[in-house]
Amino acid sequence: MESLQKSLLVTGGAGFIGANFVHYWLNTYPNDKVTVLDALTYAGNKENLASLEGSSNFKFVHGNICDQDLVEQLLQSGEINTIVHFAAESHVDRSITGPDEFIETNIIGTYSLLKAAKKVWLDIPKEQGRQALEHRFHHVSTDEVYGTLELRDPAFTEDTAYAPNSPYSASKAASDHLVRAYHHTYGLEVTTSNCSNNYGPYHFPEKLIPLIVTNILHDKPLPIYGDGKQVRDWLYVEDHARGIDLVLNKGRVGENYNIGGHNEWHNIDIVKLICQLMDQAFENDKTLIEKYPLAILARQAKSEELITYVTDRAGHDRRYAIDAEKSFTELGYRPQESFETGIRKTIEWYLDNDSWWRSLIK
């Protein structure tokens, strides 16, 4: 599809990763058109896209991916040739206490999208005696579908057997299989990417990194599950967007690509690093003391004293790690941010954009 000017439908484009992708795409391809479809549930925030309002090549639609008629209408009216599917319930804790929404959005929602894409791109042209429309359905998945790793296990590859351990990861695994099936059964041109943990601007405050930053600013405890030795592979969100770009333009149809940063950290070490960087920020910029008067320990360079160990969550996977060698070799993918540069950018963004996150925290 490299030569084809794209008209994209981005599902979940008002969420954390989706919104960052939309900004990246329109900055990189200003002549392409992007339609965002988002149900604006708790993690979807139209403010994430506020700077794009009024742009001639951007459109926002408030709607649900389970509404197949709406999706078909958007595909046809916008002459959309590319779907980038981010829309998903994604918080593991929420999936444990309320799995129904995860089944509905992640499985039924993906199924509805696939049916709409098949009908508009394959079935209608065939009925009219025309060739199938040139298209791509890109499905954004997660490394959690692979299960968990021991400390010395090799990282997940695209050939690792699926072994999801939470309702969230099980629902994502099911959606991955549906996407694969629609390619092998019906010929829908699909790609899938499985990504490691993202961080960066617009990250909903319940997630680890923004939670730690905003709790420090309110002198609240920094909750650490179990011993804090869970290992995650972290990737700056714009590097994820860059990886999806390469999959769309260079990836082989029907293939899965792991996108990661080869950047494993223990949760407790990330929290301690954020504490250090926050203490440094208050030391170097005295205006933060007035802006964030509740951050008492940060101004004393004692943020680590807020660390509080709590009971581990049920079925907590010990380690995730992505082997992105296939993306490196086939697509020429390389993350541009190190964790050190990316985490500093992220902290600076939250310190500068309190008007965005204050209304989202309790």
Side-chain angles (χ1 to χ4, degrees):
M1 293 186 63
E2 190 167 9
S3 62
L4 178 66
Q5 184 175 6
K6 294 180 178 62
S7 178
L8 286 77
L9 175 65
V10 180
T11 70
F16 162 49
I17 303 177
N20 277 282
F21 174 82
V22 170
H23 286 290
Y24 164 85
W25 195 270
L26 289 176
N27 284 333
T28 307
Y29 303 102
N31 294 323
D32 285 355
K33 294 181 179 181
V34 172
T35 299
V36 167
L37 175 63
D38 201 296
L40 295 180
T41 55
Y42 77 96
N45 187 347
K46 201 173 177 183
E47 288 300 310
N48 297 351
L49 304 168
S51 64
L52 300 174
E53 291 292 343
S55 172
S56 60
N57 57 351
F58 170 79
K59 178 181 179 181
F60 178 83
V61 177
H62 184 194
N64 196 304
I65 58 172
C66 293
D67 186 345
Q68 184 180 340
D69 290 340
L70 172 61
V71 175
E72 291 175 10
Q73 177 187 343
L74 293 175
L75 293 178
Q76 292 175 310
S77 64
E79 297 182 337
I80 287 166
N81 51 41
T82 305
I83 294 175
V84 185
H85 176 33
F86 291 97
E89 296 287 344
S90 65
H91 195 253
V92 176
D93 286 353
R94 288 177 182 259
S95 82
I96 293 170
T97 58
D100 288 3
E101 292 181 1
F102 289 73
I103 303 303
E104 179 70 19
T105 298
N106 298 354
I107 301 178
I108 303 303
T110 300
Y111 177 50
S112 295
L113 284 174
L114 288 165
K115 288 193 293 180
K118 174 178 175 289
K119 181 175 180 180
V120 173
W121 290 337
L122 302 180
D123 296 345
I124 292 177
K126 183 178 180 180
E127 291 169 1
Q128 297 175 345
R130 298 184 290 115
Q131 289 186 332
L133 299 177
E134 191 168 359
H135 64 272
R136 176 71 62 85
F137 187 113
H138 182 74
H139 177 58
V140 180
S141 190
T142 172
D143 56 359
E144 295 190 40
V145 298
Y146 298 123
T148 187
L149 295 168
E150 297 299 328
L151 187 60
R152 298 184 183 279
D153 287 344
F156 300 128
T157 72
E158 290 82 357
D159 294 324
T160 300
Y162 277 28
N165 291 319
S166 70
Y168 161 60
S169 56
S171 67
K172 288 298 291 185
S175 67
D176 292 7
H177 293 321
L178 282 170
V179 172
R180 173 185 171 86
Y182 262 67
H183 169 65
H184 285 277
T185 302
Y186 303 112
L188 196 69
E189 298 195 354
V190 308
T191 44
T192 296
S193 56
N194 296 80
C195 191
S196 55
N197 281 31
N198 280 212
Y199 68 98
Y202 303 116
H203 206 175
F204 196 74
E206 72 181 358
K207 301 290 189 171
L208 177 64
I209 289 176
L211 177 70
I212 298 306
V213 172
T214 55
N215 276 18
I216 289 173
L217 295 175
H218 290 84
D219 230 34
K220 291 182 177 181
L222 310 180
I224 305 298
Y225 281 129
D227 61 5
K229 294 294 186 179
Q230 302 88 0
V231 177
R232 299 294 183 262
D233 181 2
W234 292 90
L235 183 70
Y236 191 64
V237 65
E238 189 169 297
D239 281 326
H240 186 186
R242 190 173 294 108
I244 293 172
D245 180 359
L246 288 168
V247 174
L248 287 172
N249 282 311
K250 296 183 178 181
R252 289 179 288 145
V253 170
E255 290 291 313
N256 287 47
Y257 292 91
N258 283 348
I259 300 176
H262 290 180
N263 177 45
E264 296 182 49
W265 283 73
H266 289 102
N267 284 351
I268 185 61
D269 293 334
I270 284 194
V271 173
K272 289 181 177 180
L273 175 62
I274 294 172
C275 287
Q276 295 167 12
L277 293 176
M278 290 289 284
D279 290 349
Q280 290 174 16
F282 274 79
E283 173 65 26
N284 297 332
D285 184 356
K286 299 302 182 183
T287 65
L288 294 177
I289 296 175
E290 181 178 353
K291 186 175 183 180
Y292 298 106
L294 299 180
I296 297 170
L297 287 176
R299 76 178 67 170
Q300 298 173 10
K302 296 180 179 179
S303 293
E304 281 194 28
E305 293 185 10
L306 294 169
I307 292 175
T308 304
Y309 291 89
V310 299
T311 302
D312 208 352
R313 73 180 175 210
H316 201 173
D317 290 337
R318 195 63 175 171
R319 172 175 170 247
Y320 306 138
I322 281 284
D323 182 344
E325 185 60 33
K326 180 178 177 180
S327 294
F328 287 7
T329 302
E330 289 193 18
L331 308 178
Y333 173 71
R334 293 292 186 281
Q336 293 189 6
E337 296 290 343
S338 67
F339 189 71
E340 289 72 15
T341 62
I343 197 66
R344 287 182 182 276
K345 284 185 175 182
T346 300
I347 290 173
E348 289 174 4
W349 189 89
Y350 278 90
L351 291 173
D352 291 342
N353 290 275
D354 60 304
S355 61
W356 177 85
W357 54 258
R358 283 190 187 276
S359 63
L360 302 176
I361 63 176
K362 297 179 181 180

